[in-house]
Amino acid sequence: MVSLTWSIAILAGVIVRLVRSSPETCVSVGTLSSIPNVTVVASEYLLSGSQIPLPGTVESCGGPDLKANITADICRLVLLVATTPSSEVQVEAWLPEPQSWNGRSIATGNGGIGGCIDYATMQNGAALGFASFGTNAGHNGSVGYEFFLNQPEVINDFGHRAIHIEADVSKVLVAQYYGKGASKKYYAGCSTGGRQGFQNAHLYPEDFDGMLLGSPGVDWLHIVASKGILARRIAIVKAQIEQLDALDGVADGIIDEPTQHRFDPTSLACGTGLLNSSLCLHPQQVESVRRAYEPIANTSGHIVYPPFELGSNTDVFSNNQANGTAALSYTILENFWRGAVYNDSSWTPEKFGERDMDFAVRVNPGQVNAAETDLTSFYRKGGKIISYHGRNDETVTSALSEHFFTGVQSALNINLEDIHDFYRLFFLPGMHHCSGGLGAWSIGNAQKYPYDQALLDPKHNALIALVEWVENGTAPDTLIGTKYENDLIGSTITAQRTYCPYPMFSNWDGVNDTSLAASWKCMPSRFDG
Ligand SMILES: *[C@@H]1O[C@H](CO)[C@@H](O)[C@H](O)[C@H]1NC(C)=O
Ligand SMILES: *[C@@H]1O[C@H](CO)[C@@H](O)[C@H](O)[C@H]1NC(C)=O
Ligand SMILES: *[C@@H]1O[C@H](CO)[C@@H](O)[C@H](O)[C@H]1NC(C)=O
Ligand SMILES: *[C@@H]1O[C@H](CO)[C@@H](O)[C@H](O)[C@H]1NC(C)=O
Ligand SMILES: *[C@@H]1O[C@H](CO)[C@@H](O)[C@H](O)[C@H]1NC(C)=O
Ligand SMILES: *[C@@H]1O[C@H](CO)[C@@H](O)[C@H](O)[C@H]1NC(C)=O
Ligand SMILES: *[C@@H]1O[C@H](CO)[C@@H](O)[C@H](O)[C@H]1NC(C)=O
Ligand SMILES: *[C@@H]1O[C@H](CO)[C@@H](O)[C@H](O)[C@H]1NC(C)=O
Ligand SMILES: *[C@@H]1O[C@H](CO)[C@@H](O)[C@H](O)[C@H]1NC(C)=O
C-alpha cells in the first residue's frame, strides 16, 4: 500500500555510532550525509535554557523570528529525507544527553494542512527527558497551495507518509546515539496531529506503543468541506447557551453534555416573547439556524458529517451572516481543494457544495482521509491510546470522536471493558479546538507549551497518564482538567474538574464547590444502561 523508498534496514548497516565530537557538533555530519536519501541540514549541541533562532521558518509557521526553547541539554539534528525523487520530509531530532534521557522517544505531528514542526510538544518532551522528534510533513507552511500543486508525492507525504518516516528516523537515531533503542515509543498530536496518529495506528501499528491524540481530524475531507457548506448556514450561539446552560445545574457558560439536549430554533423566533426583539429570529433565519446544527449529507443523501454540538460557535469560519452571502474565513478549504484536489490555482470556494466534497472524498488525495477504524493490530500488540476532544470544538465537531470510538469498538467487535483496555476517550466540556475555552481544559494537551511543573502527574497530565498506562498497566480512570487565570498555564488555578472515559460522564455532586475536581464524579452514561 505504501512504497517506502527509505529503509531502516539499509540505514542501520550504514550509520556508524553517532558521537559528540565537540560541544558545537554533536554528530559527525559527514557520516550522516553518507546515508542514502538523507541530507543533514543542521547538527548542533545546545544547552538547556537557551533559545535558538529558526531563521528558515516560513511566515505561516511563525516566521523567521520564531525561536525554539531548548528545555534540556540536547543534540539537535535537522534531516531532510527524500521520500521520492520529487518529495522530501524534514525531520528534527532533539536528543537529551544520555544521562538525562528517560529511555523513551516521542514523535509529534502537525496541524491544519501541516507544514510546521510542532516545537511546543518537542519542548515538553525534551524537558521530561524524551528523545523528541518533529516533522514538517513534507512541505513548509500551514497556508498556501503551491506546495501541493502538481505534486502528488508531496500530497502523499502530508496524507499518510511523513509520520511513519519520522518514526523510522527516530528509531535509527535513538539506537545510534544511545547505543540502544527506546524502551517505549510515544506519539502526541492534536487536530491533524490526531488524524495522523489514528491513521498511523492503522497503517503502521508497530511504530508506537502509546499515542496521545487530541481533537482528531479523522474524517479530514468532510471536516474541511463542512466549513464551506456551513458557511451558508447561520448560527446563533449565545441564545442557546443562555437557554441550555443552567439545565446541567451549574450556570457557568458551559453546556456539559451537549448531546443530551435538543435544540429547537423555533423557540428563538420573534413573537414567542422568549428573546429580546433585537435577538429574535425571523422565519427564514429560524430555518438557517436549524440547518447550521444539522448534519451534512452527500449528494446521494447519506449523512457524512455529524452536526456540531450545541454551543459550538460554528459561525467562526464565516465572517458574515447578515446578508446571506457568507464569506469563508477558513483558508484550508481553498488551499487544499486548489492544490491537492483540483490542481487548479484559479479555483475559489464561493460556490462550494456537496459535489466538491464528494469529488474530493472519491479522489482522497494522499489518502488524507483517515476515517479507517480498524485498529486490530495496534490493539493486539497492546498499544494504548488516550484521546480527548473539547465539547465546544468549533473546528472538528466532537461528535466525530464519539462516532470514531464506536466505530473502532465495532470493527474489533469487543465490549466496553476491552476497548477501555487500549483506547480511552475523554470529552472536555467547554474546551475549544485542542485548547482554550471556558472549561478547565488544561490536561497536558499536545501542542501546548509549557506543562505546569506542579502538575506533572498522571492525574493531571495526559502524557504522563499515558506513560503510566503503557509501562505500569495503570489505566487513567479520570483526568483532572485545570483552568488558570487568563488561561496562562502554571499561573493561579481558578477551577479544576474531573473528566471521565467515554461513555462515562462527569456529574456534579450537587452540593460542593463546582470549581473543585472532587465535586465531579464519573457516572455511567444514560445510554449505557
Ligand atoms: C532513495 O530514494 C530513491 C527515490 O528517490 C529510491 O529509488 C531509492 O531506493 C532510495 N534509496 C534508499 C536506500 O532507500
Ligand atoms: C523547508 O525548510 C527547510 C529550512 O527550514 C529547508 O531545508 C527545506 O528544504 C524546506 N522544504 C521544502 C520542501 O521546501
Ligand atoms: C518559548 O518560550 C517563550 C516564553 O517563555 C514563548 O513566548 C514562546 O512561544 C516559546 N516558543 C515556542 C516555540 O514555544
Ligand atoms: C496539474 O495541472 C497542470 C497545469 O494544468 C498540469 O500540467 C499537470 O499535469 C496537472 N497535474 C496533475 C497531477 O494532475
Ligand atoms: C435588548 O437588546 C438590546 C441590544 O443588546 C439592548 O440594548 C436592550 O436593552 C435589550 N432590551 C431588553 C428589554 O432587554
Ligand atoms: C454582505 O456583507 C458583507 C460584509 O458586511 C459585504 O462585504 C458584502 O458586500 C455584502 N454583500 C451583499 C450582496 O450585500
Ligand atoms: C455518499 O456516501 C455514501 C456512504 O459513505 C457512499 O456510499 C456514496 O458513494 C456517497 N455518494 C457520493 C455521490 O459520493
Ligand atoms: C506503578 O504503579 C504502582 C502502583 O500500582 C506505583 O506504586 C508505582 O509508583 C508505579 N510506577 C511508576 C513508575 O509510576
Ligand atoms: C461534599 O464534600 C464533602 C467533603 O469533601 C464530602 O464529605 C461530601 O460527601 C460531599 N458531598 C457530596 C454530595 O458528594
Side-chain angles (χ1 to χ4, degrees), residues 46 53 227 389 480:
L46 300 165
K227 311 305 178 201
H389 207 135
I480 295 175

Side-chain angles (χ1 to χ4, degrees), residues 262-393:
R262 292 284 168 271
F263 172 66
D264 180 2
T266 54
S267 65
L268 307 181
C270 301
T272 59
L274 266 173
L275 282 186
N276 179 333
S277 63
S278 65
L279 268 180
C280 68
L281 304 183
H282 299 290
Q284 263 182 321
Q285 292 174 311
V286 168
E287 190 46 32
S288 51
V289 169
R290 192 195 308 281
R291 305 240 311 131
Y293 287 91
E294 276 178 353
I296 290 173
N298 69 8
T299 52
S300 42
H302 289 81
I303 289 181
V304 290
Y305 193 71
F308 272 88
E309 308 295 6
L310 295 179
S312 298
N313 191 3
T314 57
D315 70 2
V316 294
F317 299 113
S318 160
N319 54 23
N320 157 53
Q321 297 96 47
N323 59 13
T325 58
L328 192 67
S329 49
Y330 185 69
T331 55
I332 295 178
L333 177 78
E334 176 166 300
N335 285 326
F336 197 75
W337 262 252
R338 247 187 206 185
V341 176
Y342 290 132
N343 180 36
D344 174 0
S345 56
S346 65
W347 182 84
T348 60
E350 263 106 56
K351 299 205 169 98
F352 189 88
E354 283 81 352
R355 267 171 216 293
D356 301 284
M357 173 177 77
D358 289 354
F359 179 77
V361 169
R362 216 156 45 237
V363 175
N364 195 12
Q367 299 171 45
V368 70
N369 235 27
E372 186 51 72
T373 50
D374 181 3
L375 304 184
T376 308
S377 301
F378 189 79
Y379 169 66
R380 293 249 164 84
K381 78 159 196 180
K384 309 289 182 204
I385 294 170
I386 294 181
S387 188
Y388 57 89
H389 207 135
R391 276 298 197 191
N392 228 193
D393 191 328

Side-chain angles (χ1 to χ4, degrees), residues 36-37 129 172 207 407 434 498:
N37 293 348
V172 175
D207 281 355
C434 292
T498 302

